[in-house]
PDB file of all heavy atoms in Angstrom:
ATOM      1  N   LEU A  38     -37.210  16.360 -35.611  1.00  0.00           N
ATOM      2  CA  LEU A  38     -37.484  15.208 -36.479  1.00  0.00           C
ATOM      3  C   LEU A  38     -37.133  15.483 -37.940  1.00  0.00           C
ATOM      4  O   LEU A  38     -36.466  14.657 -38.580  1.00  0.00           O
ATOM      5  CB  LEU A  38     -38.953  14.796 -36.309  1.00  0.00           C
ATOM      6  CG  LEU A  38     -39.379  13.528 -37.061  1.00  0.00           C
ATOM      7  CD1 LEU A  38     -38.553  12.340 -36.593  1.00  0.00           C
ATOM      8  CD2 LEU A  38     -40.860  13.270 -36.847  1.00  0.00           C
ATOM      9  N   ALA A 135      73.914  25.125 -29.543  1.00  0.00           N
ATOM     10  CA  ALA A 135      74.595  26.160 -28.758  1.00  0.00           C
ATOM     11  C   ALA A 135      73.874  26.421 -27.449  1.00  0.00           C
ATOM     12  O   ALA A 135      74.486  26.528 -26.381  1.00  0.00           O
ATOM     13  CB  ALA A 135      74.672  27.449 -29.585  1.00  0.00           C
ATOM     14  N   TRP A 175      66.313  13.856  23.881  1.00  0.00           N
ATOM     15  CA  TRP A 175      66.125  12.419  24.105  1.00  0.00           C
ATOM     16  C   TRP A 175      67.336  11.797  24.803  1.00  0.00           C
ATOM     17  O   TRP A 175      67.179  10.995  25.720  1.00  0.00           O
ATOM     18  CB  TRP A 175      65.880  11.730  22.772  1.00  0.00           C
ATOM     19  CG  TRP A 175      65.926  10.223  22.853  1.00  0.00           C
ATOM     20  CD1 TRP A 175      66.964   9.401  22.520  1.00  0.00           C
ATOM     21  CD2 TRP A 175      64.902   9.388  23.369  1.00  0.00           C
ATOM     22  NE1 TRP A 175      66.663   8.115  22.753  1.00  0.00           N
ATOM     23  CE2 TRP A 175      65.371   8.067  23.287  1.00  0.00           C
ATOM     24  CE3 TRP A 175      63.629   9.615  23.875  1.00  0.00           C
ATOM     25  CZ2 TRP A 175      64.630   6.981  23.704  1.00  0.00           C
ATOM     26  CZ3 TRP A 175      62.888   8.536  24.281  1.00  0.00           C
ATOM     27  CH2 TRP A 175      63.379   7.234  24.210  1.00  0.00           C
ATOM     28  N   GLY A 185      65.480   5.668  34.573  1.00  0.00           N
ATOM     29  CA  GLY A 185      65.239   5.731  36.017  1.00  0.00           C
ATOM     30  C   GLY A 185      63.824   5.272  36.361  1.00  0.00           C
ATOM     31  O   GLY A 185      63.622   4.514  37.325  1.00  0.00           O
ATOM     32  N   PHE A 205      48.908 -12.507  48.568  1.00  0.00           N
ATOM     33  CA  PHE A 205      47.464 -12.596  48.314  1.00  0.00           C
ATOM     34  C   PHE A 205      47.086 -13.945  47.725  1.00  0.00           C
ATOM     35  O   PHE A 205      46.060 -14.551  48.096  1.00  0.00           O
ATOM     36  CB  PHE A 205      47.020 -11.464  47.375  1.00  0.00           C
ATOM     37  CG  PHE A 205      46.736 -10.186  48.085  1.00  0.00           C
ATOM     38  CD1 PHE A 205      47.540  -9.068  47.869  1.00  0.00           C
ATOM     39  CD2 PHE A 205      45.686 -10.077  48.989  1.00  0.00           C
ATOM     40  CE1 PHE A 205      47.288  -7.883  48.533  1.00  0.00           C
ATOM     41  CE2 PHE A 205      45.429  -8.888  49.644  1.00  0.00           C
ATOM     42  CZ  PHE A 205      46.240  -7.785  49.427  1.00  0.00           C
ATOM     43  N   VAL A 229      22.725 -33.099  51.021  1.00  0.00           N
ATOM     44  CA  VAL A 229      22.475 -34.489  50.619  1.00  0.00           C
ATOM     45  C   VAL A 229      21.768 -35.262  51.735  1.00  0.00           C
ATOM     46  O   VAL A 229      20.810 -36.017  51.501  1.00  0.00           O
ATOM     47  CB  VAL A 229      23.792 -35.156  50.215  1.00  0.00           C
ATOM     48  CG1 VAL A 229      23.597 -36.666  49.997  1.00  0.00           C
ATOM     49  CG2 VAL A 229      24.349 -34.512  48.955  1.00  0.00           C
ATOM     50  N   TYR A 232      18.179 -34.086  52.027  1.00  0.00           N
ATOM     51  CA  TYR A 232      17.336 -34.657  50.969  1.00  0.00           C
ATOM     52  C   TYR A 232      17.090 -36.138  51.203  1.00  0.00           C
ATOM     53  O   TYR A 232      15.971 -36.619  51.038  1.00  0.00           O
ATOM     54  CB  TYR A 232      17.993 -34.430  49.612  1.00  0.00           C
ATOM     55  CG  TYR A 232      17.305 -35.145  48.486  1.00  0.00           C
ATOM     56  CD1 TYR A 232      16.105 -34.677  47.957  1.00  0.00           C
ATOM     57  CD2 TYR A 232      17.836 -36.320  47.956  1.00  0.00           C
ATOM     58  CE1 TYR A 232      15.454 -35.358  46.936  1.00  0.00           C
ATOM     59  CE2 TYR A 232      17.194 -37.006  46.936  1.00  0.00           C
ATOM     60  CZ  TYR A 232      16.005 -36.520  46.439  1.00  0.00           C
ATOM     61  OH  TYR A 232      15.364 -37.186  45.430  1.00  0.00           O
ATOM     62  N   ALA A 263     -21.402 -38.639  41.304  1.00  0.00           N
ATOM     63  CA  ALA A 263     -21.862 -38.706  39.917  1.00  0.00           C
ATOM     64  C   ALA A 263     -23.129 -39.542  39.805  1.00  0.00           C
ATOM     65  O   ALA A 263     -24.090 -39.184  39.096  1.00  0.00           O
ATOM     66  CB  ALA A 263     -20.755 -39.281  39.024  1.00  0.00           C
ATOM     67  N   ALA A 279     -44.268 -34.659  35.396  1.00  0.00           N
ATOM     68  CA  ALA A 279     -45.535 -34.772  36.118  1.00  0.00           C
ATOM     69  C   ALA A 279     -46.164 -33.413  36.355  1.00  0.00           C
ATOM     70  O   ALA A 279     -47.374 -33.212  36.157  1.00  0.00           O
ATOM     71  CB  ALA A 279     -45.295 -35.500  37.460  1.00  0.00           C
ATOM     72  N   GLY A 284     -50.124 -29.341  35.122  1.00  0.00           N
ATOM     73  CA  GLY A 284     -50.410 -27.963  34.703  1.00  0.00           C
ATOM     74  C   GLY A 284     -51.235 -27.933  33.432  1.00  0.00           C
ATOM     75  O   GLY A 284     -52.148 -27.104  33.287  1.00  0.00           O
ATOM     76  N   LEU A 300     -63.786 -17.436  23.517  1.00  0.00           N
ATOM     77  CA  LEU A 300     -63.192 -16.144  23.141  1.00  0.00           C
ATOM     78  C   LEU A 300     -63.153 -15.954  21.627  1.00  0.00           C
ATOM     79  O   LEU A 300     -63.369 -14.841  21.143  1.00  0.00           O
ATOM     80  CB  LEU A 300     -61.778 -16.045  23.728  1.00  0.00           C
ATOM     81  CG  LEU A 300     -61.694 -16.063  25.250  1.00  0.00           C
ATOM     82  CD1 LEU A 300     -60.248 -15.968  25.698  1.00  0.00           C
ATOM     83  CD2 LEU A 300     -62.519 -14.914  25.847  1.00  0.00           C
ATOM     84  N   ALA A 350     -61.719  -1.625   4.922  1.00  0.00           N
ATOM     85  CA  ALA A 350     -60.477  -1.957   5.610  1.00  0.00           C
ATOM     86  C   ALA A 350     -59.862  -3.203   4.995  1.00  0.00           C
ATOM     87  O   ALA A 350     -60.486  -3.903   4.203  1.00  0.00           O
ATOM     88  CB  ALA A 350     -60.763  -2.183   7.100  1.00  0.00           C
TER      89      ALA A 350
END
Side-chain angles (χ1 to χ4, degrees):
L38 185 60
W175 169 260
F205 276 114
V229 171
Y232 172 76
L300 297 180

